Amino acid sequence: ELYQLTFLDITFEEDRSTNLRLLQGLVEGKRRHFQVEKRYRRKNGTLLWVRSNASLVPGIDGEGSFWFNVVEDITERKRMEDELRSQLARLRETEVRLQTFFENSPNLIFLKDREGRYVYANREFKKALRVTDEQIRGKRDDEVFSAEQATAFQANDRRVLEARAAMEFEEITFQEDGQHMSIVHK
């Protein structure tokens, strides 16, 4: 049955024009090889993803040239790529939700990396401490706060990292309107 079909007969309809264009480049001598990922339609109608490697083979002793094609089944890889794309989309959606939650929280929320640099501070944090994103992002406490405050904040950070557990602290910040004490969960 297969010998009665051309490659176009089994190539998925939406992939035919690309395949024909690449093959035309072979026939016209514009290329000697091409690789394309495309779909074949099985006899039962289901689709099979393949990577097709086609090369032009010159004829010898009066024989005309022909093209040689190696086809590899990549259906499983494509399925996994689709699954990864779906997971990434769900992760992005979760990230947007968390970002919205953080930005609209009445609490002061910040994230630091292991070196103590701020990677995120929400609107309330920046408002309360009267800093902009540019003034806080990528900075350590000693670049933003007084030496006394920075020393206390960094000591608490170290305790959490050493304990590898969440901890709660009373931390004092000095602002324009005076001293503020906060319960900080790190």
Side-chain angles (χ1 to χ4, degrees):
E1 288 177 286
L2 185 61
Y3 291 139
Q4 303 303 312
L5 303 172
T6 68
F7 78 96
L8 280 179
D9 293 330
I10 60 173
T11 298
F12 182 58
E13 299 81 16
E14 292 177 20
D15 298 338
R16 287 179 184 165
S17 62
T18 299
N19 205 155
L20 276 173
R21 183 177 40 78
L22 291 168
L23 184 59
Q24 185 175 0
L26 274 182
V27 172
E28 293 173 356
K30 294 179 180 174
R31 63 176 68 231
R32 296 186 50 78
H33 171 81
F34 71 83
Q35 183 179 90
V36 65
E37 292 184 359
K38 66 178 189 172
R39 292 157 289 185
Y40 280 154
R41 187 174 296 282
R42 291 185 178 110
K43 182 178 174 179
N44 67 6
T46 61
L47 294 179
L48 167 77
W49 272 101
V50 299
R51 179 175 32 230
S52 175
N53 294 284
S55 298
L56 184 64
V57 178
I60 302 174
D61 296 330
E63 291 288 324
S65 60
F66 64 95
W67 58 288
F68 179 75
N69 196 13
V70 176
V71 179
E72 175 187 3
D73 182 349
I74 59 170
T75 305
E76 182 61 20
R77 191 197 86 205
K78 286 293 194 176
R79 186 195 63 72
M80 291 177 75
E81 287 173 356
D82 287 344
E83 178 61 30
L84 282 173
R85 271 191 288 280
S86 295
Q87 288 176 2
L88 284 173
R90 287 191 299 271
L91 283 172
R92 281 188 212 103
E93 184 178 311
T94 299
E95 183 179 1
V96 167
R97 286 182 182 163
L98 281 172
Q99 181 77 20
T100 301
F101 170 77
F102 288 163
E103 279 304 308
N104 294 297
S105 174
N107 299 308
L108 281 61
I109 298 175
F110 61 89
L111 300 173
K112 292 181 183 178
D113 64 17
R114 287 186 141 315
E115 284 74 42
R117 290 183 301 262
Y118 287 89
V119 293
Y120 173 79
N122 76 342
R123 187 178 317 147
E124 284 300 313
F125 181 94
K126 292 180 281 194
K127 180 177 151 188
L129 298 174
R130 292 180 175 80
V131 294
T132 65
D133 205 42
E134 294 77 28
Q135 292 170 315
I136 194 79
R137 188 181 301 261
K139 304 283 176 52
R140 293 183 318 271
D141 291 320
D142 56 358
E143 297 174 278
V144 179
F145 302 105
S146 70
E148 182 183 344
Q149 287 178 286
T151 299
F153 297 163
Q154 290 169 340
N156 291 342
D157 291 349
R158 276 192 302 280
R159 287 180 57 199
V160 170
L161 289 172
E162 288 167 4
R164 294 179 172 243
M167 300 175 95
E168 186 175 287
F169 304 95
E170 288 182 7
E171 291 185 343
I172 297 171
T173 56
F174 301 102
Q175 299 173 18
E176 289 178 9
D177 60 349
Q179 184 175 324
H180 290 258
M181 184 181 307
S182 301
I183 305 297
V184 181
H185 301 274
K186 294 186 173 186

